[in-house]
Amino acid sequence: PVSPGAYQSVFAGGQGATAIEYAADIGIMKFDATCSNRIYGTYIGGQNNERPFSMIVDSSDNLIIVGRTQSADYPVTTGAYQTTKGTGWDLVVTKLNNSGTGLVGSTFLGGNGDDGVNFDSTEVGYGHLKFNYGDDARSDVQVDRSGNIYATGCTESTNFPTTAGALATTLSGLQDGVVFKFNATLTNLIWSTYLGGTGDDAGYVLELNATETSFFVAGGTSSTNFPVTAGSWQTTYNGDSADGYIVKFQNSPPYAIEKATYVGTSHYDQIYGLQLDNEGNVYVMGQSVGGTFPVTSGAYVNPHSCQFVMKIDSNLTTDLISTVYGSGDSVHTNISPVAFLVDTCENVYISGWGGNLTLASAHSGFCFGMPISADAYQPTTDGADFYFVVFSPALTAVRYATYYGRNTGTIYWEGEHVDGGTSRFDKHGIIYQAICANCGGPSSSPFPIPTTATAWASVDASDNCNEAVLKIAFNIGPVTVNIVAGPSTNGCAPLTVNFTNASTNALSYVWNFGDGTTSTAFAPSHTFTAPGVYTVTISAANTNACFRTNDTQRILIYVDTNSIAPSFTYVVTDSCGPYSVVFTNTSHQGAASDTSFTTYQWFFGDATTFSGKTPPVHNYPSTGTFTVTLVMTDTASCNSPDTATAVVNIQSISVSARFSIPDTICLGTPITPLVVGAANVISEIWTFGDSSAASMAMPPTYTYGAIGAYTVTLVAQNPGACNGADTFRQQIIVLPVPTANFTYSPITPVPNEPTTFTNLSTNATSYLWAFGDNTTSTDINPVHQYNQTGTYMACLTAYNPSKCPSKICKEVSSDVMPIVGIPSGFSPNGDGQNDILYVEGAAIATLDLKIYNRWGQLVFETTSQSKGWDGTFNGQPQPIDAYAYVLIVNFIDGTAKTLKGNITLLR
């Protein structure tokens, strides 16, 4: 679902697809802080295939996205650094504005090979540095305080764009890492380099230091000649398939490597998370197979596990703290790490997911046996869930750990996961996690529900994976109170103040409003009813928080009772020039104010002003729209000065009268004039050309009492218009109507006798009879047979040559008894007498008549009493003879009758 005005409202993927795995666009949604309201939703993509890697929001709330595309028509902006796509997959960097309606900048970045593809783009492919499902889509993006954009990834292109003086300008192996820096609008590639050796290399994570003088990049490598520096923690490649690495770059030309180190063991290792603490120390997390990753003294540990966390100094020389966690299986990893945080208290947060989604890695496993805290939200798993863990400072203990996902009770291969990319923590210990959830599998074990009470979407709308969004506050960092009061902290009583709470890591609040009342609400509203100065004190606490378990904030509220209220009205008295307007001052002030010190300043919106309570008639120089402002000042009031504004719209207008009526009507027919083309009408006066009084209705409905020709007149009025009034006339002819009348017989019904109607209408030329039993006739004097006993409302509408109608209705009774018969003979000789054989009878509901010749051939059949036999068969006259018949009749009273016999055909 996209939002109104979205940058791209239509899914484009697959329209031009050629040999791709599947067709996909990037889908972006922005929610408020509680995921209750969606701010925008939009697609971004071209006609082939896109995949997002990582996103970050800059200081202006613009969204920066790094991903890859196969679409030559992926949206790029004018002046972008690279406006055309290279071969295969290209990296893309896109900045979407904060409303989701347009691009601030967007560019390709790629060359003659696949860019942004770690080994291959198939979801379940495994090899080289692609160890986990989704590793092909790992990358990172950061933004500095000037808006410059930094990113890392990988490439197979021999001509990937690099800048002069870069660390490496040529591809060293089959795949190298890349690191690059753009300006804020993606029009200038400030710096770009290959990063790697003769093996495979990929950049997964990037982080700037606090002063932005350096930045760090980490990821995976199989290069024995990766550009590590002398004196770093590990200067030699150790792995049998991959090592992790950390590189510290200088963040200014020539962007040289300040320090670089391997991070690995004699088996498989890669880094998937990178963070810096307040002192600039570097934390990394990732995977290590083989059970030999170093564990420092005093650190919490699950020995021989395949997930590691490490703290190393900013010069990348000393392992300060390191440990492993997980199930204790040294061969199989438990989770694919996703998000990483070191908060302001140096608590360490990690999120990841277990399950291999059929990835053919020999080491990928499931998340059974992970450390779980006593207060875990979900202590059990089916092996394919998300996992969240928080370690205390110095990694001495697990502060919180839980699974999160549906629990099928058995291993489920398509569990909760992400397709590469990263989610984010913020420094207050809050995770923002997107999850591919409810992927296939048994509906009896859905993703954990319920959603939060006001969630934007509470129902899984997909028959396979649906995107789930989590925001989890671990409330472990320091307590910080941040309260904003509004809309004003200074005003007149009663003054209602709304308190917006943006505090972090607090679990409880105590509000003292300074007027004898308190509250423990999260974000209360409070009304101050008496004048005075109030000190509102907000205390927040969290016993689990680090080094600051409570915080306090105070806000002063000023309340008064003596107020002023400026206001005015106006009337345009001349719209034909000199465009005069009369203003009336309707302001009032509090009882304590001294009117002798009250001043009024008028601003008429045409560069003229007036000082005083009552302005003179004001003449505007021309037509137009003018914003008039009255500023009222009284130093004794609590809201001085105060203003009132109004928009005065002066038009040189004229009133016009127009209407439409029929040329002719029948006497007794009401008319309602259709007012079309009239303009600027305030009041109307209607006359109808007869002796009736004028009408002021807008418009009226009128009925003439006599035939003739009349003139209908409209006088349209507007005292403010230049012409004041306008008159319009139209003639109408009132035509005569006939007089409808009839009699019928018999008055008293005779069983099965038809009713004869005698037309007594005058001045009529055509007639329509409605007999009250859903049958009609246009005969002048019809004879009608009712088929059921009852009383009917028979109506005659008579029309004169002008088609003016007259209608009369009378009750007619009938007496109908079921009866049926058929003549014994008929003579179809064309003399007009007894030419057609009909079924005769009354109260017949249905009938079926069949007539056979002497050879048993069916020569005639009917189911209608009004359809008779004319003595022919297949268009040929039949000979004189006796014909057998069978007649089956159902009467309206539910009875039935069958007749059989012979009919003689005579000529």
Side-chain angles (χ1 to χ4, degrees):
V2 297
S3 53
Y7 166 70
Q8 182 176 327
S9 61
V10 178
F11 176 75
Q15 296 180 20
T18 57
I20 61 171
E21 179 188 2
Y22 51 77
D25 281 355
I26 298 172
I28 302 294
M29 283 197 185
K30 177 181 178 182
F31 294 96
D32 66 4
T34 62
C35 289
S36 301
N37 298 300
R38 187 185 65 164
I39 298 171
Y40 68 73
T42 185
Y43 295 107
I44 300 178
Q47 293 186 359
N48 210 309
N49 190 17
E50 281 73 44
R51 191 159 190 171
F53 295 164
S54 186
M55 302 185 298
I56 196 166
V57 176
D58 68 10
S59 60
S60 299
D61 207 20
N62 301 308
L63 180 66
I64 300 165
I65 308 159
V66 170
R68 69 173 183 245
T69 185
Q70 287 181 312
S71 299
D73 61 340
Y74 182 88
V76 295
T77 49
T78 303
Y81 170 74
Q82 181 177 332
T83 57
T84 58
K85 193 183 83 66
T87 303
W89 290 92
D90 265 15
L91 284 165
V92 287
V93 186
T94 298
K95 181 189 282 190
L96 184 68
N97 67 10
N98 59 15
S99 62
T101 57
L103 298 181
V104 178
S106 184
T107 186
F108 293 105
L109 189 65
N112 56 11
D114 280 335
D115 306 289
V117 179
N118 186 15
F119 172 57
D120 69 51
S121 63
T122 62
E123 289 185 339
V124 297
Y126 165 72
H128 299 257
L129 299 178
K130 186 175 180 181
F131 184 88
N132 305 279
Y133 174 88
D135 277 359
D136 63 286
R138 288 190 189 266
S139 177
D140 200 6
V141 61
Q142 297 289 343
V143 61
D144 65 20
R145 288 186 286 271
S146 299
N148 297 312
I149 298 166
Y150 304 72
T152 185
C154 61
T155 184
E156 297 175 11
S157 295
T158 60
N159 63 340
F160 187 86
T162 58
T163 52
L167 170 69
T169 58
T170 58
L171 183 71
S172 299
L174 294 177
Q175 173 182 291
D176 275 3
V178 290
V179 189
F180 51 89
K181 176 181 177 180
F182 274 108
N183 68 336
T185 56
L186 300 167
T187 57
N188 179 29
L189 184 63
I190 299 171
W191 174 74
S192 178
T193 186
Y194 290 98
L195 179 63
T198 54
D200 294 318
D201 310 275
Y204 298 145
V205 282
L206 185 151
E207 193 77 13
L208 283 85
N209 67 1
T211 60
E212 298 185 348
T213 56
S214 302
F215 60 89
F216 295 80
V217 174
T221 180
S222 63
S223 297
T224 58
N225 60 339
F226 190 88
V228 296
T229 56
S232 64
W233 182 58
Q234 285 184 345
T235 58
T236 304
Y237 179 78
N238 298 303
D240 60 5
S241 57
D243 270 2
Y245 69 82
I246 311 171
V247 179
K248 180 180 181 181
F249 285 97
Q250 171 189 336
N251 194 12
S252 59
Y255 296 93
I257 290 181
E258 296 179 346
K259 279 289 184 179
T261 184
Y262 287 109
V263 176
T265 67
S266 59
H267 297 286
Y268 160 84
D269 309 271
Q270 285 200 89
I271 292 174
Y272 294 120
L274 173 66
Q275 286 279 286
L276 305 181
D277 66 13
N278 297 328
E279 287 76 38
N281 297 308
V282 179
Y283 290 72
V284 290
M285 67 86 174
Q287 295 174 322
S288 177
V289 171
T292 61
F293 197 89
V295 177
T296 55
S297 177
Y300 172 87
V301 62
N302 300 129
H304 310 297
S305 296
C306 289
Q307 291 74 221
F308 74 84
V309 186
M310 179 180 186
K311 175 182 178 180
I312 191 169
D313 69 291
S314 62
N315 286 322
L316 307 181
T317 60
T318 305
D319 176 7
L320 301 175
I321 308 169
S322 60
T323 192
V324 293
Y325 66 97
S327 66
D329 181 344
S330 64
V331 176
H332 299 99
T333 58
N334 297 121
I335 62 170
S336 173
V338 178
F340 186 44
L341 167 71
V342 177
D343 72 10
T344 53
C345 302
E346 297 186 13
N347 295 297
V348 175
Y349 304 71
I350 299 172
S351 78
W353 58 272
N356 64 13
L357 276 74
T358 70
L359 192 68
S361 165
H363 299 293
S364 61
F366 298 89
C367 57
F368 295 112
M370 302 294 284
I372 299 297
S373 59
D375 57 348
Y377 176 81
Q378 182 179 321
T380 60
T381 181
D382 60 5
D385 285 332
F386 255 76
Y387 176 72
F388 302 106
V389 63
V390 183
F391 294 99
S392 61
L395 304 177
T396 57
V398 171
R399 299 197 65 176
Y400 182 79
T402 185
Y403 296 112
Y404 196 93
R406 62 178 173 184
N407 198 341
T408 62
T410 58
I411 293 178
Y412 186 62
W413 294 85
E414 280 196 63
E416 285 67 44
H417 64 280
V418 292
D419 294 345
T422 60
S423 294
R424 298 283 182 185
F425 286 95
D426 69 26
K427 285 294 184 181
H428 299 294
I430 299 174
I431 187 172
Y432 304 85
Q433 182 72 60
I435 297 176
C436 293
N438 264 17
C439 298
S443 60
S444 60
S445 300
F447 190 70
I449 54 174
T451 56
T452 46
T454 59
W456 179 73
S458 59
V459 177
D460 181 351
S462 171
D463 59 1
N464 192 16
C465 296
N466 203 308
E467 189 79 355
V469 181
L470 305 179
K471 178 183 178 183
I472 303 174
F474 291 91
N475 295 319
I476 294 175
V479 172
T480 302
V481 175
N482 182 9
I483 307 297
V484 177
S488 176
T489 59
N490 186 355
C492 303
L495 176 64
T496 298
V497 181
N498 302 317
F499 296 95
T500 301
N501 192 339
S503 304
T504 55
N505 291 324
L507 295 181
S508 63
Y509 298 88
V510 176
W511 301 74
N512 188 325
F513 298 109
D515 60 356
T517 61
T518 61
S519 173
T520 58
F522 176 75
S525 294
H526 187 70
T527 300
F528 298 87
T529 58
V533 179
Y534 300 92
T535 299
V536 179
T537 303
I538 307 99
S539 299
N542 177 359
T543 57
N544 294 323
C546 63
F547 71 76
R548 187 170 67 237
T549 59
N550 56 70
D551 194 20
T552 301
Q553 181 180 346
R554 292 175 175 84
I555 299 173
L556 290 178
I557 307 295
Y558 301 89
V559 183
D560 202 349
T561 56
N562 191 42
S563 63
I564 57 176
S567 62
F568 63 90
T569 61
Y570 69 90
V571 176
V572 179
T573 58
D574 189 350
S575 63
C576 300
Y579 312 114
S580 300
V581 181
V582 175
F583 293 93
T584 302
N585 192 334
T586 57
S587 306
H588 69 272
Q589 58 196 127
S593 298
D594 185 344
T595 58
S596 62
F597 293 103
T598 305
T599 62
Y600 301 88
Q601 186 71 27
W602 298 80
F603 301 86
F604 296 110
D606 59 354
T608 63
T609 62
F610 173 77
S611 296
K613 184 174 184 179
T614 305
V617 174
H618 186 71
N619 295 325
Y620 283 92
S622 63
T623 59
T625 300
F626 304 90
T627 300
V628 180
T629 303
L630 169 60
V631 180
M632 183 179 181
T633 304
D634 182 351
T635 56
S637 72
C638 59
N639 62 329
S640 179
D642 199 8
T643 62
T645 62
V647 176
V648 178
N649 187 14
I650 297 178
Q651 303 177 11
S652 181
I653 61 174
S654 61
V655 62
S656 62
R658 294 290 185 276
F659 65 87
S660 174
I661 56 175
D663 293 332
T664 61
I665 60 171
C666 298
L667 181 65
T669 302
I671 62 165
T672 300
L674 177 63
V675 178
V676 291
N680 304 311
V681 178
I682 292 179
S683 62
E684 299 173 351
I685 300 175
W686 295 82
T687 55
F688 297 94
D690 56 6
S691 59
S692 63
S695 172
M696 303 289 287
M698 299 178 65
T701 297
Y702 186 72
T703 303
Y704 283 97
I707 63 173
Y710 301 91
T711 298
V712 180
T713 303
L714 166 62
V715 179
Q717 300 175 319
N718 184 343
C722 293
N723 57 342
D726 188 32
T727 301
F728 184 77
R729 298 176 177 87
Q730 185 173 336
Q731 188 180 65
I732 189 169
I733 298 174
V734 181
L735 301 173
V737 297
T739 300
N741 195 13
F742 68 88
T743 61
Y744 64 91
S745 64
I747 299 298
T748 300
V750 176
N752 295 338
E753 183 174 328
T755 303
T756 299
F757 293 90
T758 302
N759 195 332
L760 303 178
S761 303
T762 59
N763 301 319
T765 57
S766 61
Y767 310 93
L768 177 63
W769 297 84
F771 299 115
D773 59 355
N774 296 320
T775 61
T776 62
S777 173
T778 57
D779 293 344
I780 298 175
N781 298 297
V783 176
H784 183 66
Q785 174 66 62
Y786 288 98
N787 285 327
Q788 192 171 353
T789 298
T791 299
Y792 300 87
M793 185 62 69
C795 296
L796 168 62
T797 302
Y799 299 89
N800 62 13
S802 299
K803 300 303 181 182
C804 289
S806 175
K807 184 176 181 179
I808 187 172
C809 297
K810 297 181 181 182
E811 287 188 346
V812 177
S813 297
S814 67
D815 186 2
V816 179
M817 293 186 299
I819 189 172
V820 68
I822 189 167
S824 60
F826 73 114
S827 54
N829 53 13
D831 63 359
Q833 296 182 4
N834 201 25
D835 283 333
I836 298 177
L837 177 75
Y838 290 102
V839 174
E840 298 174 353
I844 295 174
T846 64
L847 64 84
D848 183 12
L849 172 64
K850 293 182 174 65
I851 300 176
Y852 302 87
N853 60 21
R854 67 172 54 251
W855 296 279
Q857 186 179 22
L858 180 66
V859 296
F860 176 74
E861 183 178 11
T862 184
T863 58
S864 173
Q865 194 174 355
S866 61
K867 180 182 177 182
W869 187 35
D870 62 358
T872 65
F873 177 57
N874 291 333
Q876 299 298 319
Q878 296 301 294
I880 296 173
D881 204 342
Y883 293 83
Y885 72 88
V886 177
L887 174 62
I888 300 173
V889 176
N890 292 299
F891 297 103
I892 60 176
D893 63 359
T895 60
K897 191 172 185 179
T898 300
L899 300 178
K900 298 180 180 179
N902 295 316
I903 301 165
T904 301
L905 187 154
L906 303 173
R907 293 290 183 184

